[in-house]
């Protein structure tokens, strides 16, 4: 089995999908000849030609709008938005068109399209290259929202997303592109070549949308996470000695309610961690779900550890980033509640 970075596994997913189905096309800003700003599409234009992998003008509304039209006519576009921060000009096309066409056409039309975008911070990208807008997508009925945390899942989830008949927002934590990151920015990063989840099959396989993964089994507290925060939570559990069960959601919609309820009812405690801003972040929805479905099993209030309600600060990156100390403090606090 090959060893891949997340960049390579994402590229492999598009390669596999394009090889299996001539209707799959890839486009976006600089994704063709240049191979994308993070090189996720490198070599695809050379292999499949400029009609199936091509550059688009600097217009996110145009990129997503064109993808909606293509998808409605049976093409399967997988488009790249250079950074998640740049998706907002195309938000109307996502919310008003892509998400609604199946409903308003009474199933006559579907929109099998994927919008890929690097998300999150931890790279000193500042306020315009570090945002985590996943809650905005999860709020919209009619689209699916996916956030992988490792190369194996990234490839399987992306192939599943491309093959899905509905629009999928595919957010890629760019801090994980080249290796897992536990939040200790002053330590060397372990490359994916030395991590078990860096082993990725070279051919076709899928990871089903809507199924969470238990990354660490535990009995004391359930930690609900996705993306980069999976590894921060693992580090916090190890450093505090709290026997935490870490649930990697993988997809925010559809959400694996069964996995969440089973774990929280077992542990009786829940901590939710995400990098996005706190107010109306996806953690608020998770907290409500846990309260509504597991209330009589809870031994303590649900705790959220999140980014702050401010633009992502370049100069204070690691104060904003929910690192292992903040997560560890939450684990200890929830365990102290009686």
């Amino acid at each position: 089995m090959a060893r891949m970075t997340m960049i390579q596994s994402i590229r492999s997913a598009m390669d596999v999908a394009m090889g299996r189905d001539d209707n799959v096309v890839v486009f976006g800003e600089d994704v063709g000849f240049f191979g994308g700003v993070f090189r996720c599409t490198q070599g695809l234009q050379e292999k499949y030609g400029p009609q199936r992998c091509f550059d688009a003008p600097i217009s996110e509304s145009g990129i997503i709008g064109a993808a909606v039209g293509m998808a409605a006519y049976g093409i399967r576009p997988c488009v790249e938005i250079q950074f998640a921060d740049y998706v907002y000009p195309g938000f109307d096309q996502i919310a008003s068109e892509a998400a609604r066409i199946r409903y308003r056409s009474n199933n006559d039309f579907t929109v099998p399209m994927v919008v890929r975008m690097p998300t999150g911070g931890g790279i000193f990208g500042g306020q315009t290259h570090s945002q985590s807008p996943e809650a905005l997508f999860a709020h919209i009925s009619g689209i699916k929202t996916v956030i992988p945390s490792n190369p194996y899942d990234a490839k399987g989830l992306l192939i599943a997303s491309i093959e899905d008949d509905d629009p999928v927002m595919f957010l890629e934590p760019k801090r994980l592109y080249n290796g897992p990151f536990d939040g200790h920015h002053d330590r060397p990063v372990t490359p994916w070549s030395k991590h078990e989840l860096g082993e990725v099959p070279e051919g076709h396989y899928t990871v089903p949308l809507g199924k969470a993964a238990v990354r660490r089994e535990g009995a004391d507290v359930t930690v609900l996470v996705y993306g980069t925060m999976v590894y921060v939570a693992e580090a916090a559990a190890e450093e505090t000695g709290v026997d935490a069960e870490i649930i990697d959601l993988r997809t925010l919609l559809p959400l694996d309610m069964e996995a969440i309820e089973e774990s929280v009812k077992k542990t009786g405690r829940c901590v939710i961690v995400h990098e996005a801003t706190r107010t109306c972040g996806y953690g608020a929805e998770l907290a409500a779900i846990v309260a509504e479905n597991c209330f009589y099993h809870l031994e303590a209030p649900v705790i959220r550890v999140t980014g702050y309600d401010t633009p992502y600060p370049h100069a204070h990156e690691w104060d904003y980033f929910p690192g292992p100390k903040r997560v560890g403090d939450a684990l200890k606090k929830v365990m102290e509640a009686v």
Side-chain angles (χ1 to χ4, degrees), residues 175-176 178-182 187-196:
R175 194 60 177 80
L176 300 182
N178 292 302
F181 179 63
D182 64 5
R187 299 180 185 177
V189 175
T190 301
W192 284 117
S193 60
K194 296 182 179 180
H195 195 284
E196 61 180 353

Side-chain angles (χ1 to χ4, degrees), residues 258-270:
E258 183 179 350
I260 294 172
E261 290 183 34
E262 181 179 347
S263 180
V264 175
K265 288 178 179 179
K266 178 179 74 172
T267 66
R269 291 174 169 82
C270 183

Side-chain angles (χ1 to χ4, degrees), residues 72 100-111:
R100 309 294 187 221
I101 286 179
R102 180 190 281 274
Y103 179 86
R104 72 193 219 202
S105 72
N106 194 29
N107 273 334
D108 285 343
F109 290 92
T110 59
V111 184

Side-chain angles (χ1 to χ4, degrees), residues 36-113:
V37 68
F38 291 103
R39 300 299 190 269
C40 288
T41 58
Q42 191 171 38
L44 295 181
Q45 185 179 86
E46 183 179 359
K47 183 173 182 178
Y48 294 101
Q51 289 188 320
R52 294 191 61 200
C53 180
F54 53 91
D55 296 323
I58 302 176
S59 172
E60 285 73 23
S61 61
I63 292 169
I64 295 173
V68 172
M70 289 179 176
Y73 278 90
I75 298 173
R76 291 184 177 270
C78 180
V79 304
E80 177 180 299
I81 301 300
Q82 219 166 64
F83 289 87
D85 315 59
Y86 300 168
V87 76
Y88 303 118
F91 201 79
D92 182 41
Q93 283 75 18
I94 293 170
S96 301
E97 304 299 335
R100 309 294 187 221
I101 286 179
R102 180 190 281 274
Y103 179 86
R104 72 193 219 202
S105 72
N106 194 29
N107 273 334
D108 285 343
F109 290 92
T110 59
V111 184
M113 60 179 278

Side-chain angles (χ1 to χ4, degrees), residues 7-8 80 95 100 106 116 123 130 169 215 218 254 273 317 326:
I7 291 171
Q8 292 168 329
E80 177 180 299
R100 309 294 187 221
N106 194 29
R116 293 181 39 248
I123 65 164
S130 305
M169 304 296 113
R215 298 298 176 198
V273 188
E317 176 108 33
R326 286 174 58 195

Side-chain angles (χ1 to χ4, degrees), residues 36 46 69 81 101 108 141 152 180 225 244 298 318 331:
E46 183 179 359
I81 301 300
I101 286 179
D108 285 343
S141 302
Y152 179 88
V225 285
L298 289 173
W318 304 118
L331 293 178

